Amino acid sequence: MGLRLYDPAYLNTAMATSRICYIDGDKGVLTYRGYPIEELAEKSSFLEVAFLLINGNLPNRKQLDEWSHKIMTHTYIHENLTSLMKNFRYDAHPMGMLISSIAAMSTFYPEANAALSGQDIYKSVTLRNKQMYRIIGKLPTIAACAYRHRIGRPYTQPRSDLGYTENFLYMMDHLGESDFKPHPKLVRALDVLFILHADHEMNCSTAAMRHIASSLADPYTAVAGAAGALYGPLHGGANEAVLRMLTSIGSVENVPAFIEEVKSKKKKLMGFGHRVYKNYDPRAKIIRSIAYEVFEVMGKEPLVEVALALEKVALTDDYFVKRQLYPNVDFFTGLIYKSMGFPTDMFPVLFTIPRAVGWLAHWLEFLDDPENKIVRPRQVYKGEENRHYVAMVQRDSAEFPTSQVYSTLSNKRREASEK
């Protein structure tokens, strides 16, 4: 126990054994429970893939119908939670609303809190499954409410007779029509995107989910924490960064100049390269193909020409080829979301909905693994040693690290008046 491995960002540390998702980054391979992502995206549906990730095998017709029914009958959210969401500022970020609302859900179901109901509650399979159905079912409803909150529309009640992604688009866009249904091609496109984002091995947010769950925190708190990790621009916010990059480039003619600025490290190339993949991200290939199906319905997104020109240069220029900077899943995702009419700040929300299935699969796997304990990494201490208390009059009067803080103009006005 005297030997410790210093491994910043866990680049070469396996924190768990898992049977859920496999990646071969050198070959560009991604599988869910052994099934290639390409086959699942082509032939399956999101709820079927969710069943696969959580239960370990593809369902038969009866199992899928029962699974889908249980999820869709858990889509309603408590009126008190609706009231809470209505108290957010009119311009609150949808991801902030989503994270806060998921965390608040833990207060509605105290029977799922081990701190309140006993540390052995997760030995109950039925209790665990109930929370899983609640989270998967209610997330799209919370997300749709967050979207409509931003645009000043009343919240729409879910419909259990619609499919999962179809119901989500319905809740976002319904304006009182008696026969309104989202376009089937858009429903299918979003369903495929949900499949591609459902899990991705031990990424930042999944590791956070396992980390929080290891303390026996309830799954709502753990999912909220995982969503907080996903919120960052280096993870779930990456496709938003791609879109902003493409917008700043503006046109195909500006691509060569932008590439030169990337090479000179004046600009960052977003949507290329991946911690795991040293080849073309298999998800990016699938997304690239479904983009044109969306364009058939919504019209071609003008920035797609900029994206294609940028991709062509990055795949042929030695500077990028040597560094193995291939397009990743974020590169085309933002373009599809934008062309479907989703505002940029909804992008991480659209990532969270499907990824919650992967988080829950890992939560269940963690609870059943006898080798798992509370996560407690060690550190390499490099701080001061053997210091003794010094009287205040003898201490250094130099500036301290946290002395600098920005000040608003109104604060400056007030501070100037005090002088």
Side-chain angles (χ1 to χ4, degrees), residues 22-30 276-282:
Y22 172 73
I23 299 171
D24 186 329
D26 293 331
K27 296 179 180 178
V29 171
L30 170 62
V276 177
Y277 293 111
K278 305 306 175 189
N279 203 319
Y280 207 108
D281 186 335

Side-chain angles (χ1 to χ4, degrees), residues 35-54:
Y35 292 92
I37 191 65
E38 294 86 353
E39 289 186 22
L40 294 173
E42 179 186 355
K43 301 175 181 179
S44 190
S45 67
F46 174 67
L47 283 188
E48 185 177 48
V49 169
F51 184 100
L52 169 68
L53 288 171
I54 289 174

Side-chain angles (χ1 to χ4, degrees), residues 260-277:
E260 291 306 313
E261 287 187 298
V262 171
K263 290 179 180 180
S264 60
K265 301 191 184 320
K266 294 179 182 178
K267 294 282 181 71
K268 285 189 175 183
L269 181 64
M270 306 301 295
F272 287 79
H274 195 277
R275 170 73 67 83
V276 177
Y277 293 111

Side-chain angles (χ1 to χ4, degrees), residues 287-333:
I287 289 174
R288 196 178 190 276
S289 66
I290 65 170
Y292 291 96
E293 296 179 19
V294 173
F295 297 157
E296 284 180 17
V297 179
M298 301 295 294
K300 193 172 183 180
E301 166 55 47
L303 288 177
V304 74
E305 298 299 336
V306 179
L308 292 173
L310 194 61
E311 180 192 38
K312 183 178 179 181
V313 173
L315 291 176
T316 56
D317 191 301
D318 285 343
Y319 178 88
F320 301 102
V321 173
K322 288 179 181 178
R323 290 166 173 77
Q324 299 178 310
L325 296 177
Y326 297 93
N328 59 40
V329 70
D330 301 306
F331 187 63
F332 287 105
T333 301

Side-chain angles (χ1 to χ4, degrees), residues 231-267:
Y231 193 3
L234 296 182
H235 191 6
N239 48 27
E240 181 177 345
V242 170
L243 192 60
R244 295 191 190 284
M245 175 192 72
L246 294 174
T247 303
S248 69
I249 296 172
S251 66
V252 173
E253 293 74 24
N254 296 329
V255 169
F258 176 79
I259 289 293
E260 291 306 313
E261 287 187 298
V262 171
K263 290 179 180 180
S264 60
K265 301 191 184 320
K266 294 179 182 178
K267 294 282 181 71

Side-chain angles (χ1 to χ4, degrees), residues 152-163:
R153 291 180 183 172
Y155 301 166
T156 301
Q157 296 288 4
R159 279 179 53 182
S160 59
D161 62 312
L162 300 178

